[in-house]
Amino acid sequence: MIDTHFNKINPPANQFKLNGHVVSIVPFGSGHINDTFKVQTDSDEKNAYLLQKINHQIFQDVDGLMNNIKEVCKHIKSKLSHLNAEEVEKHSMTLIETKNGESFCKDEEGNYWRVFKLIENTKSYDIVETPAQAFSGGKAFGQFQKQLSDLPAEKLTEILPNFHNIDFRLGNLKEAIAKNEANRVGQVEDLLSYISNRESKMRTILKMGNRGELPVRITHNDTKFNNVLLDEDDKVQCVIDLDTVMPGYIAYDFGDAIRTIINSAAEDEADLDKIKLNIPLFQAYAEGYLSEAKDFLTENELETLLHGVYLLPYMQAVRFLTDYLNGDTYYKVHYSDHNLVRTKSQLKLVDELEKHHEELKLILHDSISV
């Protein structure tokens, strides 16, 4: 099958060590950052690959990005060495080299390309609907971190500097307040007060890290549920989308995952009364995560998990509010107060989490003790 993408994308595809000749190139997936295509060849094994054009506007250090992915893939495969080759490829990303032995190539237009082997017969979910799914998601990311727990973080590049640095995010907010470019500061004094009152508490992880009380580990930094591939029985198969893998603190990954599954409403829900906690999903994710992660986490890291649960929606609110005050220059908005609604929604989530502090703390304690 020759499709409309073939003539344009076949040249970069043919820079890689593919089994057989390319016969089909079609768009694949629903990612918003990189352009992804499924490449089919005519080899006897019916090999299929994922060809991606890297968004180098966001990931400007392509060398560092691809070195990170190469190191992580190699290390995870070493942890699966007890399995046969076919099983290893089911449970880990496989990066395909170029014919020159590189991890990516650059085309004549200055675009960067890479290829992974497609992991067949898998599925993923955009939304967590059941405790069983939440458990699998937690287990997947716990296992991912466990596999990488003995890979020195200094081997990886910080691809997105200050991504989860709350000092940096609050600094941006204060700069936006001072400039007041959209003349909106007067409308949000109550939100600014709420954020200010929690600044010290939200710096807990960063302060512990700066004091050397937390190890810097390799973290995923995009722990959405659709970055977990499951088999037909919803069992964990592989964690994908490794672009944001870099050094960080464990609690950031845990907190971001919880932020995306515990909220009963959408991230931009205008009716704040609809924002409630799905405690069973929290419990299931925590149990799945700690079934793997408690084997290697330090006591201090375990202590910070709940701090991460508060921090990530708080930090997202800070980012939304900063953009609102700057005149909506970063996030796409669909109406004039969209970023303001997002801010209020995330802060309401923080409020709900705080109200259930003792319950969430007990769930984590029980999950660690199992």
Side-chain angles (χ1 to χ4, degrees):
M1 181 180 86
I2 303 297
D3 53 72
T4 56
H5 298 276
F6 188 87
N7 290 334
K8 185 172 183 179
I9 300 175
N10 193 33
N14 279 320
Q15 296 298 311
F16 293 86
K17 297 176 181 177
L18 308 181
N19 289 329
H21 296 95
V22 175
V23 295
S24 172
I25 302 175
V26 295
F28 185 87
S30 57
H32 300 301
I33 305 298
N34 304 306
D35 295 333
T36 304
F37 304 87
K38 180 180 179 179
V39 177
Q40 194 77 47
T41 70
D42 61 2
S43 72
D44 292 339
E45 291 82 12
K46 305 297 183 186
N47 290 113
Y49 302 90
L50 289 182
L51 171 69
Q52 289 187 315
K53 182 169 73 172
I54 301 168
N55 186 333
H56 63 276
Q57 302 303 314
I58 292 177
F59 302 111
Q60 298 179 12
D61 181 2
V62 177
D63 278 306
L65 171 74
M66 294 310 298
N67 178 70
N68 284 1
I69 293 174
K70 185 166 61 175
E71 288 283 348
V72 166
C73 289
K74 181 175 69 174
H75 197 79
I76 289 177
K77 286 182 186 301
S78 74
K79 297 294 183 180
L80 302 174
S81 59
H82 60 286
L83 303 176
N84 63 45
E86 184 179 346
E87 286 297 308
V88 169
E89 291 195 347
K90 282 184 180 179
H91 294 282
S92 61
M93 300 279 288
T94 300
L95 191 61
I96 304 299
E97 289 185 339
T98 69
K99 293 173 181 176
N100 295 325
E102 303 294 334
S103 58
F104 65 94
C105 73
K106 187 177 181 180
D107 67 19
E108 294 179 353
E109 298 177 1
N111 297 310
Y112 296 87
W113 298 85
R114 67 184 176 207
V115 172
F116 294 99
K117 196 159 190 178
L118 179 65
I119 303 175
E120 303 273 16
N121 302 315
T122 62
K123 58 184 176 180
S124 63
Y125 298 96
D126 288 329
I127 299 173
V128 179
E129 296 178 342
T130 67
Q133 291 173 354
F135 183 91
S136 290
K139 185 177 179 66
F141 284 113
Q143 185 180 78
F144 178 80
Q145 292 177 343
K146 182 179 178 180
Q147 289 170 329
L148 297 172
S149 61
D150 60 346
L151 178 61
E154 57 267 22
K155 283 194 171 186
L156 269 60
T157 300
E158 189 180 9
I159 289 299
L160 300 172
N162 296 310
F163 189 58
H164 283 144
N165 185 329
I166 189 59
D167 277 352
F168 174 75
R169 298 301 183 187
L170 287 168
N172 289 342
L173 176 61
K174 288 169 184 176
E175 185 177 330
I177 294 168
K179 290 182 178 179
N180 197 17
E181 291 186 354
N183 196 30
R184 290 171 164 175
V185 170
Q187 304 170 29
V188 296
E189 295 290 352
D190 56 333
L191 302 180
L192 292 173
S193 177
Y194 186 97
I195 288 169
S196 177
N197 289 340
R198 284 157 180 77
E199 280 192 26
S200 180
K201 183 174 77 171
M202 295 301 177
R203 287 190 167 100
T204 299
I205 297 169
L206 191 60
K207 287 188 287 189
M208 289 178 69
N210 290 340
R211 292 195 299 262
E213 296 170 6
L214 298 173
V216 176
R217 298 193 187 271
I218 294 169
T219 49
H220 188 278
N221 298 294
D222 190 13
T223 49
K224 298 192 300 289
F225 191 55
N226 60 11
N227 283 332
V228 175
L229 294 185
L230 304 174
D231 66 16
E232 296 173 355
D233 300 317
D234 278 351
K235 301 299 183 185
V236 175
Q237 192 151 328
C238 181
V239 168
I240 60 171
D241 196 353
L242 306 180
D243 284 330
T244 54
V245 172
M246 57 184 169
Y249 298 120
I250 288 293
Y252 295 157
D253 272 5
F254 186 80
D256 204 23
I258 296 303
R259 186 183 77 86
T260 62
I261 69 171
I262 200 171
N263 191 349
S264 60
E267 186 179 67
D268 58 355
E269 176 56 61
D271 184 353
L272 299 184
D273 289 336
K274 292 182 178 179
I275 298 174
K276 301 183 186 305
L277 304 188
N278 192 323
I279 300 294
L281 293 188
F282 173 85
Q283 180 171 350
Y285 186 93
E287 289 174 351
Y289 175 77
L290 287 164
S291 71
E292 296 285 342
K294 67 181 180 182
D295 292 342
F296 73 91
L297 294 181
T298 67
E299 286 189 18
N300 280 346
E301 285 178 303
L302 291 169
E303 179 189 324
T304 62
L305 293 181
L306 199 50
H307 289 291
V309 170
Y310 299 129
L311 173 63
L312 270 293
Y314 173 89
M315 182 151 41
Q316 195 58 57
V318 168
R319 295 180 67 186
F320 285 144
L321 187 55
T322 299
D323 197 37
Y324 180 71
L325 296 181
N326 285 333
D328 308 312
T329 59
Y330 184 81
Y331 293 104
K332 289 182 180 178
V333 294
H334 300 297
Y335 50 92
S336 61
D337 283 348
H338 199 174
N339 271 324
L340 181 60
V341 168
R342 288 165 168 159
T343 302
K344 291 178 178 179
S345 175
Q346 290 299 289
L347 292 181
K348 178 64 178 346
L349 179 56
V350 173
D351 202 48
E352 288 298 307
L353 290 165
E354 289 179 344
K355 289 176 182 176
H356 290 80
H357 173 80
E358 291 303 321
E359 185 178 4
L360 300 178
K361 184 178 177 181
L362 181 59
I363 288 171
L364 281 176
H365 177 270
D366 290 347
S367 300
I368 293 168
S369 303
V370 172

